[in-house]
Coordinates of all heavy atoms in Angstrom, one line a residue:
Chain A
V57 N 1.4 -1.2 16.4 CA 1.9 -1.1 17.9 C 3.1 -1.6 18.0 O 3.6 -2.7 17.6 CB 0.8 -2.0 18.7 CG1 1.3 -2.1 20.1 CG2 -0.7 -1.4 18.7
L58 N 3.9 -0.9 18.7 CA 5.3 -1.4 19.1 C 5.0 -2.0 20.5 O 4.5 -1.3 21.4 CB 6.3 -0.1 19.2 CG 6.5 0.6 18.1 CD1 7.3 2.0 18.2 CD2 7.2 -0.1 17.0
Y59 N 5.5 -3.2 20.7 CA 5.1 -3.9 21.8 C 6.4 -3.9 22.7 O 7.4 -4.4 22.5 CB 5.0 -5.4 21.4 CG 4.2 -6.2 22.6 CD1 3.0 -6.6 22.3 CD2 4.8 -6.6 23.8 CE1 2.1 -7.4 23.4 CE2 4.1 -7.3 24.7 CZ 2.8 -7.8 24.4 OH 2.2 -8.5 25.4
W60 N 6.2 -3.1 23.9 CA 7.2 -2.8 24.7 C 7.2 -3.6 26.1 O 6.2 -4.0 26.7 CB 7.1 -1.4 25.2 CG 8.1 -0.7 26.1 CD1 8.2 -0.8 27.4 CD2 9.3 0.1 25.7 NE1 9.3 -0.1 27.9 CE2 10.0 0.4 26.7 CE3 9.8 0.5 24.4 CZ2 11.2 1.3 26.8 CZ3 10.8 1.3 24.3 CH2 11.5 1.7 25.4
H61 N 8.4 -4.1 26.4 CA 8.5 -4.7 27.7 C 9.0 -3.8 28.8 O 10.1 -3.3 28.6 CB 9.4 -6.0 27.7 CG 8.9 -7.2 26.9 ND1 9.6 -8.4 26.9 CD2 7.7 -7.3 26.4 CE1 8.8 -9.2 26.1 NE2 7.7 -8.6 25.7
S62 N 8.3 -3.6 29.8 CA 8.7 -2.7 30.9 C 8.9 -3.4 32.3 O 8.6 -4.6 32.4 CB 7.7 -1.5 31.0 OG 6.5 -2.1 31.5
S63 N 9.5 -2.7 33.2 CA 9.8 -3.2 34.4 C 10.5 -4.6 34.4 O 10.2 -5.6 35.1 CB 8.5 -3.4 35.3 OG 7.9 -2.1 35.6
C64 N 11.7 -4.6 33.6 CA 12.4 -5.9 33.5 C 13.8 -5.6 33.4 O 14.2 -4.2 33.3 CB 11.8 -6.7 32.3 SG 11.9 -5.6 30.8
A65 N 14.7 -6.5 33.2 CA 16.0 -6.3 33.1 C 16.5 -5.5 31.9 O 17.3 -4.6 32.0 CB 16.8 -7.5 33.1
E66 N 15.9 -5.6 30.8 CA 16.2 -5.0 29.6 C 15.0 -4.5 28.9 O 14.4 -4.9 27.9 CB 16.9 -5.9 28.6 CG 18.4 -6.3 29.2 CD 19.2 -7.1 28.1 OE1 18.7 -8.1 27.7 OE2 20.3 -6.7 28.0
P67 N 14.5 -3.2 29.4 CA 13.2 -2.6 28.8 C 13.5 -2.2 27.3 O 14.7 -1.8 26.9 CB 13.0 -1.4 29.6 CG 13.9 -1.6 30.8 CD 15.0 -2.5 30.4
G68 N 12.5 -2.4 26.5 CA 12.5 -2.0 25.1 C 11.5 -2.5 24.3 O 10.6 -3.2 24.8
I69 N 11.7 -2.5 22.9 CA 10.7 -3.0 22.0 C 11.1 -4.4 21.6 O 12.3 -4.8 21.4 CB 10.8 -2.2 20.6 CG1 10.2 -0.7 21.0 CG2 9.8 -2.8 19.6 CD1 10.6 0.3 19.8

Side-chain angles (χ1 to χ4, degrees):
Chain A
V57 174
L58 301 173
Y59 200 110
W60 184 274
H61 286 184
S62 66
S63 295
C64 56
E66 294 185 304
I69 296 163

